[in-house]
Amino acid sequence: MGKVINGIVIDDDLFQEYHKFQKGEGFDQKKIRQLLHYYKKSIVSNIKQYEDNDVELPVNLKSQMTYSGLRRQSLEELAENCTLYKIILSSTKDTFPYVNIMDDKQRLENNYSASFDMAEPRELAIKHLTAICLHAKKITLYDKYISSKDRNIDLIKRILPQKNLEITYNDIDDEHIELMTQHCSQWIFIKNPQMANRHDRYLIVDEKLEIILTSGFDHLNDTSRDFTYIIRNIEKSRF
């Protein structure tokens, strides 16, 4: 096995469209839009894929591929042995390792995320979440440990905008709801006891963006542990 490359393999149909796009020829805009959405660093190909699709292969690139061992593998072998992500982006196939980028219900997504190790400051994350919430009309908070520390309430007061805002929640103590209402009288709190039995913690904005806080507001606020947040575009809230 040769060098593992930080990139993805694409099936022949997308390979052809990608090279039309590069050359400024007529191309399928939806396919290219989806391909660019899933794009990771580079497209990993080989001599065989260029030949099979009658795409011109520059001499210098062919020499590089030959030297790197990117010669005549199948796409499945190419993905498995030569890439970090082990997948093949496709416009039609959805059996692993193929990922159908045209399927709106595709489970594998390309989302924004940020990870912080222990002792790393979280100011970027706090500013980012504050910006996302700035124009929100409806917020859903799910974190059964929010009320475990007063500082988590202070953080929520910092992140959420002081304006008319509907906030749906489950596990927040009444005394903390009162503190937040005093902070902003325009905040309307709606308790939903049916929001339960989830491991991850969530901040959902206008039922359009779902922010998964892997270790909750507590570790967004505390650098003694690691913390990651993931931002997903959604059609509707899971709650």
Side-chain angles (χ1 to χ4, degrees):
M1 186 174 70
K3 179 181 178 182
V4 175
I5 303 168
N6 182 6
I8 42 86
V9 175
I10 60 178
D11 73 2
D12 288 342
D13 177 48
L14 291 175
F15 187 78
Q16 293 171 15
E17 293 299 328
Y18 175 73
H19 284 279
K20 290 178 186 177
F21 169 67
Q22 277 199 320
K23 293 176 182 178
E25 299 175 356
F27 60 88
D28 187 313
Q29 293 188 9
K30 185 175 181 180
K31 287 181 181 179
I32 292 299
R33 184 170 61 247
Q34 289 299 101
L35 175 58
L36 294 178
H37 173 71
Y38 279 89
Y39 187 88
K40 288 289 186 183
K41 192 70 174 181
S42 65
I43 289 175
V44 181
S45 184
N46 60 12
I47 294 171
K48 181 178 185 299
Q49 189 171 32
Y50 275 85
E51 292 177 349
D52 288 349
N53 291 281
D54 295 319
V55 175
E56 182 181 357
L57 178 58
V59 174
N60 62 333
L61 180 55
K62 185 174 183 179
S63 297
Q64 292 173 19
M65 287 183 168
T66 301
Y67 177 77
S68 300
L70 302 173
R71 300 176 184 176
R72 311 207 67 80
Q73 304 98 324
S74 67
L75 296 184
E76 292 85 352
E77 292 170 332
L78 196 61
E80 173 62 28
N81 298 319
C82 302
T83 73
L84 283 175
Y85 300 103
K86 316 302 182 187
I87 60 173
I88 304 167
L89 301 185
S90 174
S91 61
T92 56
K93 301 174 185 175
D94 54 14
T95 302
F96 190 84
Y98 290 90
V99 174
N100 187 347
I101 64 174
M102 308 303 289
D103 184 355
D104 292 337
K105 296 181 180 179
Q106 173 57 242
R107 301 296 299 186
L108 189 62
E109 303 170 338
N110 190 12
N111 299 309
Y112 285 111
S113 67
S115 292
F116 303 85
D117 206 347
M118 292 179 291
E120 289 187 328
R122 315 286 156 86
E123 193 61 26
L124 168 64
I126 293 171
K127 286 182 178 179
H128 193 184
L129 299 186
T130 301
I132 288 173
C133 293
L134 182 60
H135 300 294
K137 296 180 180 178
K138 182 178 180 180
I139 293 289
T140 299
L141 295 173
Y142 179 81
D143 182 343
K144 57 186 177 181
Y145 300 108
I146 285 180
S147 281
S148 63
K149 295 183 176 68
D150 289 343
R151 70 179 184 218
N152 295 335
I153 303 304
D154 292 335
L155 181 60
I156 291 172
K157 290 193 292 186
R158 179 179 173 187
I159 289 174
L160 298 186
Q162 294 190 50
K163 67 182 191 68
N164 188 27
L165 190 63
E166 180 183 301
I167 303 169
T168 303
Y169 72 100
N170 184 6
D171 295 295
I172 304 178
D173 292 347
D174 290 343
E175 63 185 275
H176 285 151
I177 295 295
E178 179 62 27
L179 285 173
M180 289 190 284
T181 302
Q182 292 173 8
H183 173 73
C184 181
S185 61
Q186 293 177 286
W187 290 353
I188 301 171
F189 288 90
I190 302 171
K191 185 167 186 175
N192 181 359
Q194 294 181 344
M195 289 166 47
N197 301 321
R198 306 276 181 171
H199 175 269
D200 289 330
R201 287 72 151 174
Y202 299 90
L203 168 63
I204 300 173
V205 182
D206 290 331
E207 298 191 354
K208 294 179 180 178
L209 279 182
E210 177 183 83
I211 302 155
I212 303 172
L213 310 169
T214 57
S215 49
F217 284 93
D218 191 24
H219 294 142
L220 172 57
N221 221 357
D222 178 7
T223 59
S224 67
R225 301 288 182 91
D226 54 337
F227 173 80
T228 297
Y229 71 99
I230 304 162
I231 302 174
R232 303 177 61 239
N233 176 245
I234 57 175
E235 296 296 326
K236 64 178 182 178
S237 173
R238 68 178 67 219
F239 296 109

